[in-house]
Amino acid sequence: MVFSNNDEGLINKKLPKELLLRIFSFLDIVTLCRCAQISKAWNILALDGSNWQRIDLFNFQTDVEGRVVENISKRCGGFLRKLSLRGCIGVGDSSLKTFAQNCRNIEHLNLNGCTKITDSTCYSLSRFCSKLKHLDLTSCVSITNSSLKGISEGCRNLEYLNLSWCDQVTKDGIEALVRGCHSLRALLLRGCTQLEDEALRHIQNYCHELVSLNLQSCSRITDEGVVQICRGCPRLQALCLSGCSNLTDASLTALALNCPRLQILEAARCSHLTDAGFTLLARNCHDLEKMDLEECILITDSTLIQLSIHCPKLQALSLSHCELITDDGILHLSNSSCGHERLRVLELDNCLLVTDVALEHLEHCRGLERLELYDCQQVTRAGIKRMRAQLPNVKVHAYFAPVTPPTAVGGNGPRLCRCCVVL
């Protein structure tokens, strides 16, 4: 027999342990646990630490408590390189201290949504996990500046740090962090609402390798801070400024003059930005691939013309609530090289001047995969149907006003409710 409850099964006799371990290394957690129940030999093989270098417990988040993490750390020891505890709200500081002591080679740790943890966990990581490169602390709301000081002192190889919605973090914490972690390439600070321009000045001074920065909803940030970042981080490729409502074209000018490698810009709800700023940006940042300009209410077709001319790599563009955009702007976008070859996603929600004519232009965008048209009141079902005849693979999300079906006498028949449709 190839498989047997007896440890003398043929597969165990014919294949050396090293090869069996190699086979087991391709199995996921659930399969490894099942294999561990086959026989004593397979139990040893399945639970060998070398098979547990990468563990993701997200699918088991409701069942994971501290003792589970402690047992895993004891089993894996120095083999474990990557662990995701995303959403495991039952895990706290004590179990993560045990984890840090046992798994000192950990490089990638995701604690997103582990709301029980405090600064104590970061002290443990600082003390025992010097090889840590990637750390996600999203929504760990008890984290304070003290955590960042500890990380700075003990985790100097850190390249990625996500502090989104850690709203106790201030400029002092950012200063402590960047003084020790000069290798940071990605820093996500969404919802860190206490941050001001001075925090960005510290990043400018120490994080010259930074390629990705997220400042979404950091509403105290002004042009001065963005200018400092652009001057100190010329390798920047992705920048999120959505919800930074104080920004003006001065920020776009700084990006255009200092960050030519920029690929992603998210500037939703930055309502003071104009065509002038985006014109300069397009003329200098030719690698742009994704732009979120939702509620940049001052931009017109002029911005689309410049993007069409200068940004041939553009793949995703959101213009939702940009109510000055017309069919003519869509015409230029559709006829450009990015329209013909690259454009995959276009969001036009609440663009009130866009009509079925724009959909005719978009028929030239052969790679288009998704089109958003909610509240485009001049777009009709017939127009969408004609476009989809030319682009059968595109998903169109649209919103239509109530319909009153005819009745035998008069027009007071029952009304259909409003509907959002995917066509």
Side-chain angles (χ1 to χ4, degrees), residues 405-414:
T407 59
V409 179
N412 297 319

Side-chain angles (χ1 to χ4, degrees), residues 20 41 59 97 131 141 276:
L20 286 170
N59 291 332
K97 180 178 180 180
K131 297 181 180 180
V141 294

